[in-house]
Amino acid sequence: MNIAVIGSGASAFGVLMRLKKELKENNISITVISKDLNFMNTIFSKNIASKKNNIIFNKSSNLHTNIRHNFGHTFNEIKINNSNNLIYNIRHSGGLSDIWSGSAALPLLQDLTKWGFRSDEIEPYYKTISNYLNLSGKKNEISNYKKSFNSIPNEFVNSPPIKEHDLVNKLIQKLKNKTIRNDFHINTNYVFLRDKSKCQYCEICDSCFSGCLNDSIFRPSKIINELISNKNFSYENDNVDSLKIINNEYEITTENKKKIIFDKVFLCAGALNSAKIIIKSFDYPKNDVLIYDIPTKFFPIVSKIPKFKIDKKSFGFSSASGSVIMNNDNYYHILIGHLPKEYFKNKIQNKFISSLLKNISNKLFLYGTIYGSNKDFLSYKLTKNFEITSSQKERLNQINNNLNDALKKLKKIFYEGNFLILNNFAINGKSSSHYSSNLFDAYKIKRNICAEFNKNLHICDTSILGAPSSSQPHTFFIMANAYRLADKAFQN
């Protein structure tokens, strides 16, 4: 059996880990189709070797930039770079980027219900996928969420935590020492780590979310590339344009007009790219194809009592995650960290001054990000011509009001921990950069246990959700669910 896996991001990783097991038992061949696999790490490696100082980036105007700010476009469009390099708009690596990191929080039970999943269906696969990930965290953390909001995966932690920034640690401890609140929760962040030994011996470059040559951040495409190099999978370095059914097989046509035949296809290109491929292959459906997204806000946090002694060997960009619950079913996800050195380098060109400001910032300031709740989503229509359309100005204003209300509540909580939220200086984010879509519903296909869109065509990314989530479809869940769907595809 010839199998194609389209993409090389989180969902492709989950599928391939399951298919790798199948190689030992059945006569199958697996081909990964993804343009310039592990391109980001190659660029970083070349830059380190050549010691060039000029910025290399690939930024283009296409469907992604219409609805998404890339990670380097936060903080009023200041470019945040690692080793003077950050690659923008990698559209061909499964989802929108091959850097997957940060909070590994689980989806809420209310989200699983909305997507049509039972918790007992997905929970066994969290354990399975965590065996591949080396998930950092603290097992002794006790969640004070109500059961329906319990999203911290501390039972799956299998590697030691990276040290968080001193101010973040101070904030966490201050708030934990207060009376336990049912409407607020904050903990050390959970991060995917490639190598357990790197947890304690990090290079401390403060650039973890911009990619790390030493693998202190988990990147699926790098692992997939290693498996291809070891001849586990074949590889086609191209983008998929469309597919056609011929005699119960799938003929995949690439953007370079190459045609390849497969018996079974797993589509893991991300909500936007998967929708494009399906529309080109099966024509536009009668119902609109919608892409769902959750807006964000960035806000400064100031310590009323500075930390004069700062351990510079702190982790990096986002060291803590938490939530504020406005009522019984309205959850807002929070990330907290310190500004990376690249922010100051790009804002202040003088090396000495930028370093000075970084040191001052380490003692006084944190930044926060708050995600909209599952009621604060935006819907974008993907047209027949692959244009993104939206006319939701009033809805966006209402979402911003909701986020401001959540910030007001947070402001009171943080004040108790000797921290001030400067919500008057909050910056509206364009996007959470975590999308889902209604692809199955648009084509009036009932979502099923193995995400089979058509016979032997399985869509395993967030296209299957059919609705937005609280904050984001979390990477840990995406990997575990993709593994589950591939597992079910071989059981049925």
Side-chain angles (χ1 to χ4, degrees), residues 472-490:
Q472 51 186 310
H474 303 285
T475 308
F476 188 41
F477 165 79
I478 291 171
M479 291 178 173
N481 190 53
Y483 189 104
R484 178 183 73 89
L485 295 172
D487 189 43
K488 299 300 181 185
F490 276 94

Side-chain angles (χ1 to χ4, degrees), residues 278-343:
I278 292 297
I279 291 169
K280 285 184 178 181
S281 305
F282 296 96
D283 294 326
Y284 198 87
K286 291 183 179 180
N287 297 331
D288 290 340
V289 175
L290 300 176
I291 307 294
Y292 303 111
D293 186 34
I294 301 286
T296 59
K297 256 186 191 301
F298 310 104
F299 54 94
I301 305 169
V302 181
S303 173
K304 294 194 291 181
I305 304 175
K307 289 284 288 187
F308 291 106
K309 292 183 178 180
I310 292 291
D311 183 355
K312 294 184 178 180
K313 295 182 178 181
S314 59
F315 166 49
F317 202 74
S318 182
S319 301
S321 61
S323 69
V324 56
I325 301 168
M326 302 298 289
N327 51 48
N328 288 335
D329 61 354
N330 221 10
Y331 165 98
Y332 291 86
H333 191 66
I334 306 159
L335 293 178
I336 295 169
H338 63 289
L339 293 171
K341 62 183 179 183
E342 286 81 10
Y343 176 79

